[in-house]
Amino acid sequence: MDDLIAARFQMGLSLGFHIVFACIGMIMPVLMAYSEWKWIRTNKQVYYDIAKAWSKGVAIFFAVGAVSGTVLAFELGLLFPEFMKHAGPIIGMPFSWEGTAFFIEAIALGVFLYGWKKLNKWVHWLSGIVVGVSGIMSGIFVVAANAWMNCPAGFTWQNGKPINIDPVTAMFNNAWFQEALHMILAAFIATSFAVAGVHAFLLLKKRGNIFHTTAIKIALSFGVVAAFLQPISGDISAKNLAKYQPAKLAALESLYKTTKSADILIGGIPLGLIAVEAGWIVTEVGRQPWIIYGVMKTKDAVSYMPGLRYSFYVITVIYILLTTIIIWLMQRQIGSLEKNYPSAVTINN
Amino acid sequence: MLQIVIVILVISFALYTLLGGADFGAGIVETFRGSKGEKAVSKAMAPVWEANHVGLILAIVIIFTGFPRVYSTISLYLHIPLMIVLIGIVMRGSSFIFRFYDTDDKTFHKYFSVLFKISSFITPVFLGIIFGAMLLGRINLNNRGSFYERFIMPWFNLFCLSVGFFIASLFAYVAATFLVGETAKTPEQKKYIYLSKIFLFFTFALGIFVVLTAEQECHHLFYGFFKSSLSIAAFIIVVVLVPVIFYLYNHTNIFYLRAVIGAQVILIILGWFAIHFPVLVYEKSGDNLTFFNTAASDATLYQLLIALFVGLLLIVPSFYFLFKIFKRTGPIKPDSIT
């Protein structure tokens, strides 16, 4: 395998892996905090059980999201050092905000996951809100950095070097808003429908169960609103593409034709997450051959260390292994629901 | 402005060495305490381990925003050890959380535990190797020579390896001392005090070994040390604090014990830093990368500072809150998560 292709595959794989965990880590705290709020207000056991059951799954997803995110922070340089040498000072600002937001998210999540019995209800609930808000903020910052690669701004390119760097203009480039909006809505849709899907599947086995019906209601109330808003956001994005990256829009249209038949095949649980993956493939692959659109080509940014493909092979094996283990662990968590939560056994008539 | 960025970089680095170090070290120390160790480590670390590691992300962001050439040079020439560190971080975080949440299946639990301990040791060793390679001056920016000369020789040598082991031992020392305060029973506490003493000895011995191997690899650490009065002062205080620690061991005063160890670690970093300042990466032909010749433009540094400043304003109190909840009142009970 060619080293450039290997580097691109590795970056793609790492992003594709991380984005699933990032979405879940961003949105689940919102759903958990909502459920906890309902519990505090109504004092119904089922809301407490749902928030608690979710929080265990989230701990696993968040941990894997955190470590795979750390991998990405390094891979940018490991695979594309030439890119980071020039891009760092320009888009470092959203990254440093992202680091801050993520730091707070990690702290608040520690408080939320382990503070159930130690804190006042409202303080605990508030920590969940902080996780949700800082998670979404960190998502927005990272996407703003990515948007800059698609719509470079805030510098002048001269003799192969950026001069007159203005990090603020770079961050608030022409694509940041629509990309961030689209991503956050996509995260809501994907996560909410995935959660609703899992509980719907479990409900099939245990019809009328209050735990699963309530969980579905919570998840769908977020997912449906986001799904309603997403086409509007998509339209804004497409119009923006038509203006700044027409080639990508064209590719997007043709891609749509070739995958049309797939719509019927995939259904239920993973549909939302597949949409997120497809969306990122459009954003990232659609930018090629540029790493900074119209400024620097990916082949000029890639590391010249020979044998990059071996990194790719190793990372692939590790991520496949992790995915397998996580699926297995989630199955076990789901299997022990009835043992741990009284409301998971209750049947409504 | 540049000075403030440097100060914050050193702070985040010290933060990472202390908190991340305690975290990595816990995995090493656990090896010597069997299943009892696992319980203590899990209880002590579960609520804080993710936050402990964000110091690394902060340091990386500062380097690639403020000193981009340093970041791209390290990631190009030290690709292999960095990859190993990354794999270690992934393995460690996942195996820790997997075994913490899945206690039913004994076989898999055992595998996760082994993986956790191995990666807790390998990751800091390779962090140290990278650190050593930045200072040894074998990195050749001309990019001439064989694969071995360019991408392996800069880090694969006795000096870098001894820095790696030094770092791992330092982390284990911090962790063992930290865990003294996390265990309630006196006999358990005694065992951690004993481990803390052992790792204190190892860290000291490895420190000497680092200086010796540096001489052998023609890197004059000793000479640099004597030229920096700050390093000498730091070293003297670190040594003077050793009897203080022995006094505190016997009186098991957790708060002062932690404070003194923290001071030692910060002084070691400061001393080390003072020897090499302002160089970040030594280059083979003397074309060294320093804070000054790699710093980004003022506009960038200014924005970076704003972000860091607001960040610290938010992070410091939240960190205090997190530790207040979980650390002042002793270890969390195992049932508080289930």
Side-chain angles (χ1 to χ4, degrees):
Chain A
M1 185 185 275
D2 177 56
D3 274 348
L4 172 63
I5 295 294
R8 283 179 54 188
F9 263 122
Q10 186 179 336
M11 202 68 208
L13 174 74
S14 307
L15 277 166
F17 183 83
H18 177 70
I19 194 67
V20 174
F21 297 89
C23 283
I24 292 168
M26 266 196 299
I27 305 307
M28 283 312 286
V30 177
L31 301 190
M32 291 188 301
Y34 180 74
S35 193
E36 190 182 12
W37 181 71
K38 290 288 270 186
W39 169 62
I40 300 174
R41 294 293 298 271
T42 63
N43 211 17
K44 280 184 189 157
Q45 181 69 25
V46 62
Y47 290 116
Y48 177 80
D49 285 353
I50 289 172
K52 203 84 192 270
W54 281 347
S55 75
K56 278 194 182 182
V58 168
I60 295 176
F61 277 98
F62 189 85
V64 179
V67 290
S68 60
T70 310
V71 170
L72 280 173
F74 280 96
E75 270 180 347
L76 280 172
L78 284 173
L79 302 173
F80 304 104
E82 217 32 47
F83 164 68
M84 284 312 284
K85 192 160 94 186
H86 300 301
I90 310 174
I91 49 163
M93 186 179 124
F95 275 117
S96 40
W97 284 108
E98 193 268 340
T100 300
F102 180 67
F103 213 138
I104 291 165
E105 190 186 357
I107 293 171
L109 191 82
V111 173
F112 185 86
L113 290 180
Y114 301 93
W116 285 97
K117 289 186 179 166
K118 286 187 173 260
L119 294 168
N120 165 292
K121 280 179 193 170
W122 287 105
V123 176
H124 184 262
W125 174 78
L126 194 70
S127 72
I129 294 291
V130 174
V131 181
V133 171
S134 52
I136 289 173
M137 289 305 281
S138 81
I140 292 175
F141 291 129
V142 157
V143 172
N146 175 272
W148 175 84
M149 293 163 74
N150 288 306
C151 266
F155 66 97
T156 323
W157 193 253
Q158 212 172 61
N159 305 326
K161 267 184 193 156
I163 53 164
N164 301 328
I165 293 170
D166 177 1
V168 182
T169 315
M171 180 174 161
F172 298 106
N173 56 70
N174 284 322
W176 85 274
F177 177 75
Q178 27 300 44
E179 255 200 69
L181 178 70
H182 204 64
M183 182 65 241
I184 301 300
L185 287 174
F188 265 106
I189 297 169
T191 310
S192 307
F193 279 95
V195 169
V198 170
H199 286 285
F201 180 74
L202 295 169
L203 193 64
L204 284 178
K205 288 198 268 184
K206 213 170 174 69
R207 282 175 197 277
N209 174 267
I210 186 172
F211 182 88
H212 297 306
T213 45
T214 315
I216 292 171
K217 273 182 208 160
I218 296 172
L220 283 188
S221 49
F222 284 91
V224 168
V225 174
F228 179 74
L229 295 173
Q230 189 68 312
I232 305 171
S233 144
D235 185 54
I236 301 174
S237 293
K239 281 177 182 153
N240 198 57
L241 278 187
K243 199 168 164 190
Y244 298 106
Q245 286 180 296
K248 188 190 278 182
L249 183 63
L252 179 62
E253 294 294 316
S254 66
L255 186 73
Y256 179 66
K257 274 180 203 152
T258 53
T259 57
K260 201 174 176 182
S261 59
D263 279 355
I264 311 154
L265 293 171
I266 40 173
I269 302 161
L271 188 60
L273 288 167
I274 288 173
V276 169
E277 297 290 356
W280 273 109
I281 291 171
V282 169
T283 317
E284 299 300 277
V285 180
R287 193 190 56 239
Q288 301 301 333
W290 302 100
I291 191 162
I292 309 173
Y293 191 73
V295 176
M296 182 189 270
K297 287 198 170 155
T298 313
K299 70 176 167 54
D300 298 325
V302 75
S303 170
Y304 48 73
M305 190 189 87
L308 282 181
R309 54 187 173 279
Y310 297 106
S311 291
F312 169 59
Y313 299 150
V314 172
I315 288 283
T316 308
V317 171
I318 289 175
Y319 280 177
I320 289 174
L321 207 70
L322 276 182
T323 310
T324 318
I325 295 173
I326 290 163
I327 292 172
W328 178 72
L329 277 178
M330 284 299 140
Q331 278 177 344
R332 288 168 62 88
Q333 293 261 335
I334 291 167
S336 63
L337 274 178
E338 294 187 11
K339 198 177 78 191
N340 293 330
Y341 304 102
S343 62
V345 197
T346 323
I347 304 282
N348 252 9
N349 289 316
Chain B
M1 204 148 55
L2 179 60
Q3 283 83 346
I4 309 172
V5 175
I6 296 172
V7 169
I8 297 180
L9 180 65
V10 176
I11 292 174
S12 59
F13 206 75
L15 201 73
Y16 184 61
T17 317
L18 268 183
L19 300 173
D23 209 73
F24 280 121
I28 303 174
V29 171
E30 191 194 304
T31 315
F32 301 93
R33 294 294 313 122
S35 61
K36 271 187 186 167
E38 185 194 321
K39 272 186 196 139
V41 169
S42 294
K43 275 189 222 166
M45 295 307 180
V48 293
W49 77 271
E50 272 151 340
N52 283 351
H53 286 274
V54 188
L56 178 67
I57 297 184
L58 216 56
I60 284 301
V61 167
I62 295 175
I63 290 179
F64 81 52
T65 311
F67 311 98
R69 219 146 59 84
V70 173
Y71 177 78
S72 59
T73 305
I74 298 172
S75 41
L76 180 58
Y77 292 98
L78 304 177
H79 184 108
I80 297 166
L82 262 170
M83 236 10 240
I84 297 174
V85 164
L86 285 186
I87 293 167
I89 288 175
V90 171
M91 288 302 184
R92 192 177 176 280
S94 329
S95 57
F96 179 77
I97 205 81
F98 290 165
R99 76 166 190 188
F100 188 76
Y101 280 93
D102 199 89
T103 40
D104 296 347
D105 193 313
K106 289 223 166 68
T107 327
F108 275 90
H109 191 88
K110 206 170 70 191
Y111 290 149
F112 291 146
S113 252
V114 171
L115 203 59
F116 173 69
K117 288 175 204 164
I118 293 174
S119 48
S120 291
F121 174 68
I122 288 176
T123 316
V125 167
F126 274 85
L127 274 173
I129 286 177
I130 292 166
F131 205 46
M134 287 166 71
L135 301 171
L136 189 59
R138 296 270 162 86
I139 292 173
N140 184 359
L141 293 181
N142 292 328
N143 193 34
R144 285 200 200 99
S146 64
F147 183 86
Y148 177 79
E149 280 168 339
R150 285 183 297 165
F151 300 106
I152 293 178
M153 219 168 71
W155 57 271
F156 188 69
N157 51 61
L158 210 53
F159 170 71
C160 293
L161 202 65
S162 63
V163 176
F165 278 98
F166 172 78
I167 296 280
S169 174
L170 181 71
F171 285 2
Y173 167 57
V174 174
T177 322
F178 176 73
L179 286 166
V180 172
E182 295 294 312
T183 36
K185 288 184 210 127
T186 324
E188 256 324 89
Q189 264 189 349
K190 287 237 164 74
K191 280 169 187 153
Y192 284 109
I193 291 176
Y194 175 69
L195 281 172
S196 170
K197 284 179 188 168
I198 298 266
F199 282 112
L200 174 63
F201 169 75
F202 266 112
T203 309
F204 199 75
L206 284 164
I208 295 169
F209 195 61
V210 166
V211 176
L212 292 177
T213 51
E215 287 304 316
Q216 196 227 340
E217 304 278 351
C218 296
H219 173 59
H220 302 295
L221 204 57
F222 211 48
Y223 176 72
F225 172 72
F226 276 110
K227 269 180 66 178
S228 161
S229 46
L230 187 65
S231 305
I232 297 173
F235 179 75
I236 291 171
I237 302 173
V238 168
V239 173
V240 167
L241 284 176
V242 171
V244 178
I245 288 166
F246 272 81
Y247 173 82
L248 291 170
Y249 280 146
N250 292 330
H251 294 78
T252 353
N253 187 315
I254 306 301
F255 179 76
Y256 288 116
L257 193 57
R258 283 181 184 177
V260 170
I261 303 269
Q264 274 189 322
V265 170
I266 289 168
L267 284 167
I268 291 171
I269 289 175
L270 273 182
W272 184 264
F273 181 77
I275 296 176
H276 303 101
F277 184 84
V279 178
L280 277 160
V281 179
Y282 284 88
E283 204 265 343
K284 202 169 183 180
S285 61
D287 192 9
N288 301 337
L289 305 180
T290 70
F291 282 110
F292 303 114
N293 68 19
T294 61
S297 70
D298 278 357
T300 300
L301 292 180
Y302 181 67
Q303 293 301 332
L304 177 65
L305 264 187
I306 295 178
L308 290 174
F309 190 71
V310 175
L312 287 178
L313 276 185
L314 293 167
I315 289 166
V316 172
S318 0
F319 231 125
Y320 175 76
F321 182 64
L322 180 72
F323 274 78
K324 196 173 143 67
I325 301 171
F326 296 111
K327 294 297 160 219
R328 286 285 168 80
T329 49
I332 56 160
K333 293 183 181 68
D335 65 346
S336 60
I337 184 67
T338 49

